[in-house]
Amino acid sequence: MREKKNNKNSTLIISVIVLIACIFCASKFCFKLTKNKVEKKQFRMDLIDELKNGFPSQSDWFWINIESSFKHSVLKSKDPSIVLIIYDEETTDTYSKLSKEILNYLSKIDKSKSHVVVSKKKEDDFKYFIEKNMPDESKFYIDSKLSTHFKSGGKLALVEDIHEFPAHSMVLFYAYGDEEKYAKFPGVLIFMSFKLNEKLDAHSKQIYSHSPKKLREFAENRMFNLWSKWIREDQLRPLFTRIANNVILVNSE
């Protein structure tokens, strides 16, 4: 009887050990599975992971926005996308290098045609229109530059430092940023840059880098304060739905 009881206890102990072993293995498997899922959520880019690795200080949202816009508009030829890049005095050099690298990298993937840059730094005529606050001439210049490029098969463009543009020249982008059915050029991706006249503090950068909603609101308020003197609010707000849907912030590298 005692021997029978010992055998029963031994069987029970073995069963418990086997059960613990099974739980351990199952836990290990679940941990590995969860770890793989977490790693997948580390926002590996299908197309621009190599580019992302070269600028580690930029937020995940920064790269997600660029890749998703590129895929949607250029590779799938859907609605046009406008990505607004915000930078300040401290990140000027990073922005300059980053914008060039992004355009060169995406141009290699797209292969349709090289990108175009609209900037007063590159064109004396355009610089003159901006400095003399000539909205019609500025608008015509921007439109001609972009239209020529997109009509020839180009898909990528950068419009630099829109904070310096005469306000009314910006209404041009109603048509460039409209939905596919009404857009002047569907299937294109336009980057715009906006330089702040002050340095953002570290806390603000942290918030804006991880909250697309707050960054978008910040950008809209800044543009509203800049242009509302010349453009009515009922015209500005619809413009923001075109140019401030995808806003990204440059961090220092």
Side-chain angles (χ1 to χ4, degrees), residues 22-40 42:
C22 289
I23 292 172
F24 175 77
C25 291
S27 300
K28 195 172 179 182
F29 175 76
C30 289
F31 174 77
K32 191 173 180 182
L33 193 63
T34 305
K35 186 180 177 185
N36 288 338
K37 285 184 178 179
V38 169
E39 285 176 352
K40 284 180 183 176
Q42 307 237 326

Side-chain angles (χ1 to χ4, degrees), residues 33 105 127 191:
L33 193 63
Y105 196 91
K127 181 179 179 180
F191 291 95

